[in-house]
Amino acid sequence: MAKKDAAVVRAVEPSDLDAIIRIDEKLTAQTRKDYWRTRLDIAALRPPWMSSVAEMDGRLVGFLFGWVAESEFGMPGATAWIDLIGVDPAYRGRGVGQALVERFIGGGQELRAIRQVATLIDLGQADVREFFTRLGFHHGPMIHMEKAVTS
């Protein structure tokens, strides 16, 4: 039985758009309506467990968007990727992010036999790094490489 004050995690729905945008604005200080409309359109094409939201106190307080790849980047077997995760700052430390990750991993294990979960983080965001470390994530063998492309 879930704790009375535990986050309720469910599949994202189109009607969640405005609440997701509000959380994202708190986290990024940007308004990205077109971006989030596109993300929800993509989520509608994927299995429900890959795109989730969390509710507490009668409101949406977090989201997670992910995907699964087979042998992507040379990683053997099915790997689940956490693409985006966000929790309303007022609800951090209450298990919201953990509940979202657990649902994602559970769905991936049950429906895609995932062997591992990966994500990319900004090393400058210590709180994000600490969050994933608390959940058992560690630095993997790959490094992120990039190149700026100018026109």
Side-chain angles (χ1 to χ4, degrees), residues 56 87-97 131 134:
M56 277 185 124
V87 174
D88 186 315
Y91 285 83
R92 287 191 174 168
R94 295 179 59 185
V96 174
F131 167 74
R134 278 194 313 274

Side-chain angles (χ1 to χ4, degrees), residues 42 47 49 66 70 75 141:
I42 292 168
W49 62 271
E70 296 284 338
M75 300 169 79

Side-chain angles (χ1 to χ4, degrees), residues 77-100:
T79 300
W81 287 86
I82 296 174
D83 194 21
L84 293 160
I85 186 168
V87 174
D88 186 315
Y91 285 83
R92 287 191 174 168
R94 295 179 59 185
V96 174
Q98 181 175 348
L100 287 161

Side-chain angles (χ1 to χ4, degrees), residues 7 37 46 49-50 56 58 63 66 76 81 107 110 121 123 133 136 140 146 150:
R37 280 188 195 104
R46 293 183 174 164
W49 62 271
M50 289 187 187
M56 277 185 124
F63 57 81
W81 287 86
E110 179 181 345
I121 64 167
L123 290 175
T133 298
E146 64 182 34
T150 58

Side-chain angles (χ1 to χ4, degrees), residues 27 63-66 80-87 92-93 96-105 116-140:
L27 300 174
F63 57 81
L64 182 148
F65 292 82
W81 287 86
I82 296 174
D83 194 21
L84 293 160
I85 186 168
V87 174
R92 287 191 174 168
V96 174
Q98 181 175 348
L100 287 161
V101 171
E102 287 173 356
R103 180 179 195 259
F104 181 67
I105 291 172
Q116 60 188 345
V117 181
T119 191
L120 296 172
I121 64 167
D122 180 343
L123 290 175
Q125 292 181 308
D127 58 336
V128 174
R129 185 176 63 247
E130 290 168 10
F131 167 74
F132 281 109
T133 298
R134 278 194 313 274
L135 294 183
F137 286 70
H138 61 275
H139 192 282

Side-chain angles (χ1 to χ4, degrees), residues 67-81 112-115:
W67 50 283
V68 174
E70 296 284 338
S71 301
E72 191 83 9
F73 306 111
M75 300 169 79
T79 300
W81 287 86
R112 289 292 300 274
I114 62 168
R115 298 177 69 190

